[in-house]
């Protein structure tokens, strides 16, 4: 798996868009192979690992694995282990690639936008498979990437996908939500919502995000609460950071629904109606924010 990741990392670090596309597809293929089962049990653990982690190019009839089943998969366990350190952490590499793509600007044929969408899709999947990687969005430099993608000049598809990644990055991670608020994330989201040029589909996504944001935050026993090399490395960086530049040492604190309602009310009217609707419909009853 290290060899596969090394190859993908080299490709997404390139300035050649063809190599970037190839690298993102390699990562996507690896994630798909981890999450999909061919329905055949391998005779030996070694063979199972090879089938699951190396033969990424093979097209096979596959069915999605349930989340609980992944912990028993050798390829997933190896992937999770590798994500605990900076050297093989895929989210960090793809986020850095996304930053470079934004610096390239839009292309006439729209290929750069397609690469941005691919990078965002990969990040969303990675954050779901390895929740401790969400910690990188507790740093301003990475949170700012997502907020930049919500600027009006970006296409609706990118805005929508960025919102999905933002939800995944904030899920059960209050410290990231505090960074989001600190960086005027609420102003960014509500400004896009009120912009007349924003498409109806994006406005629906924005409204869904606001419902999610307004959910009361409940401290949960997430994987982030267990010491990992990745979390510890970020903690060391944060403690050495002066102020909050680049992602400061925000304490993991939760806010009540009333507190977040008050904060959102600074930028949007009729927030009371949103909260009332949220309490009546309870769309996220199984989600811990």
């Amino acid at each position: 798996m290290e060899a596969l990741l090394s190859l993908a990392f080299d490709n997404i670090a390139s300035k050649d868009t063809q190599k970037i596309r190839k690298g993102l597809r390699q990562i996507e293929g690896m994630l798909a192979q981890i999450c999909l089962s061919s329905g055949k049990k391998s005779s030996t653990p070694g063979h199972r690992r090879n089938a699951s982690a190396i033969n990424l190019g093979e097209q096979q009839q596959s069915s999605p694995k349930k989340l609980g089943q992944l912990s028993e998969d050798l390829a997933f366990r190896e992937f999770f282990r590798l994500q605990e350190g900076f050297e093989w952490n895929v989210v960090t590499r793809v986020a850095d690639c996304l930053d470079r793509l934004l610096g390239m600007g839009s292309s006439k044929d729209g290929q750069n936008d397609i690469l941005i969408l691919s990078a965002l899709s990969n990040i969303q999947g990675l954050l779901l498979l390895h929740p401790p990687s969400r910690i990188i969005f507790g740093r301003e430099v990475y949170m700012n990437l997502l907020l930049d993608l919500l600027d009006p000049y970006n296409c609706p598809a990118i805005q929508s996908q960025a919102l999905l990644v933002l939800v995944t990055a904030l899920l059960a991670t209050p410290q990231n939500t505090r960074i989001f608020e600190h960086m005027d994330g609420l102003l960014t989201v509500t400004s896009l919502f009120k912009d007349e040029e924003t498409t109806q589909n994006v406005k629906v996504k924005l409204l869904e995000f606001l419902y999610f944001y307004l959910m009361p935050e409940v401290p949960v026993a997430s994987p982030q609460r267990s010491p990992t090399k990745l979390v510890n490395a970020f903690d060391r960086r944060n403690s050495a950071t002066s102020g909050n530049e680049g992602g400061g040492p925000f304490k993991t604190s939760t806010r009540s629904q009333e507190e977040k309602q008050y904060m959102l009310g600074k930028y949007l009217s009729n927030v009371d109606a949103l909260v009332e609707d949220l309490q009546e419909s309870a769309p996220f009853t199984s989600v811990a924010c």
Side-chain angles (χ1 to χ4, degrees), residues 26-153:
Q26 288 169 329
I27 293 171
E28 182 180 355
M30 180 187 68
L31 297 180
Q33 200 67 26
I34 289 173
C35 295
L36 296 176
S37 171
S38 64
K40 297 179 180 180
K41 294 184 178 179
S42 303
S43 57
T44 65
H47 177 74
R48 184 183 176 193
R49 182 182 303 185
N50 290 340
S52 183
I54 297 180
N55 300 328
L56 301 182
E58 293 185 3
Q59 296 294 324
Q60 32 185 337
Q61 294 293 326
S62 302
S63 57
K65 295 176 184 175
K66 294 181 179 179
L67 188 59
Q69 295 175 309
L70 286 177
S71 61
E72 302 301 321
D73 184 81
L74 292 177
F76 172 75
R77 290 166 65 178
E78 175 66 6
F79 168 79
F80 202 96
R81 181 186 70 81
L82 291 173
Q83 298 314 292
E84 297 297 276
F86 276 107
E87 183 181 3
W88 301 111
N89 186 263
V90 188
V91 173
T92 307
R93 301 296 187 109
V94 179
D96 289 340
C97 173
L98 180 60
D99 187 32
R100 290 190 294 273
L101 289 170
L102 287 176
M104 293 180 184
S106 299
S107 57
K108 292 183 180 180
D109 58 2
Q111 289 303 306
N112 198 52
D113 286 351
I114 293 175
L115 292 177
I116 290 174
L117 286 169
S118 178
L120 286 169
S121 179
N122 277 335
I123 291 174
Q124 183 186 13
L126 289 161
L127 295 180
L128 291 171
L129 282 178
H130 188 253
S133 286
R134 294 173 189 163
I135 195 175
I136 80 164
F137 291 100
R139 295 179 60 79
E140 290 187 4
V141 63
Y142 291 115
M143 180 60 71
N144 193 54
L145 273 177
L146 299 182
L147 297 181
D148 281 348
L149 292 168
L150 297 179
D151 282 348
Y153 65 78

